[in-house]
Amino acid sequence: MTRLGITLLVLWVVGGCSQRPETIDTSGSHPVFGTTAPMTQEAKDAEVDTGRLLVLTPRIPEENPLDYDASPLTQYSGYTVYTEDGHKVAYEENHGVRLEGPVDRRLAPGRYFVRLDEPAPGREFWVTVERGRVTRVENRLWSGTIPEVK
């Protein structure tokens, strides 16, 4: 391979790998949601220097993959977490392996911007995650009743 060929190959590989992180605009007026509560001792023992975020997102009906004639399953919709300046931190499907939910997400302490997947009132909001605590977000506009979380 010629020197020019090698140079073009290197530029193609490097150029193809340079992808900018996903960012969004977090400016504007967005509500602040979430209340914090102490974690259980078991949860504290599993933590390093993190807190947890638990978002009771809107529930969405989905066909039962095992029985299409059965009533649709309902599961919590997902959400994305961003830094204060709009950089994507994490995406949470929010229903776990067994389609149970919601799922709590470990995050470093700080202030985060959250965007729900489902269009719903107040789908973009701010939360604060504290070390050793759970920040729980629930909005009655997202569902008629708030389910129990285990």
Side-chain angles (χ1 to χ4, degrees):
M1 191 177 254
T2 67
R3 182 179 259 172
L4 177 60
I6 292 173
T7 303
L8 290 174
L9 179 64
V10 168
L11 287 174
W12 177 74
V13 168
V14 172
C17 295
S18 61
Q19 202 174 35
R20 294 174 59 174
E22 181 182 331
T23 60
I24 62 167
D25 181 11
T26 60
S27 63
S29 178
H30 300 285
V32 177
F33 289 156
T35 57
T36 61
M39 296 170 103
T40 64
Q41 189 58 45
E42 181 181 283
K44 282 183 182 179
D45 292 342
E47 298 299 312
V48 179
D49 280 327
T50 61
R52 294 188 185 206
L53 175 63
L54 179 69
V55 182
L56 285 80
T57 56
R59 298 188 88 168
I60 51 173
E62 291 191 358
E63 285 186 356
N64 186 334
L66 302 175
D67 183 0
Y68 293 104
D69 294 329
S71 300
L73 301 172
T74 56
Q75 60 187 3
Y76 291 93
S77 63
Y79 61 92
T80 307
V81 179
Y82 299 89
T83 60
E84 287 188 85
D85 59 357
H87 289 85
K88 181 179 176 180
V89 173
Y91 175 75
E92 180 57 63
E93 288 183 343
N94 211 25
H95 52 72
V97 177
R98 295 189 175 108
L99 300 180
E100 298 170 357
V103 177
D104 56 348
R105 162 67 68 174
R106 288 183 188 182
L107 292 167
R111 186 168 189 243
Y112 296 95
F113 186 79
V114 178
R115 176 184 282 167
L116 304 180
D117 289 354
E118 291 297 306
R123 85 179 272 223
E124 295 180 334
F125 54 91
W126 293 98
V127 295
T128 301
V129 174
E130 298 177 15
R131 182 177 173 265
R133 297 181 67 86
V134 177
T135 300
R136 179 182 170 119
V137 177
E138 51 190 322
N139 184 335
R140 295 214 181 267
L141 296 176
W142 298 340
S143 66
T145 59
I146 303 297
E148 288 295 315
V149 179
K150 298 175 183 174

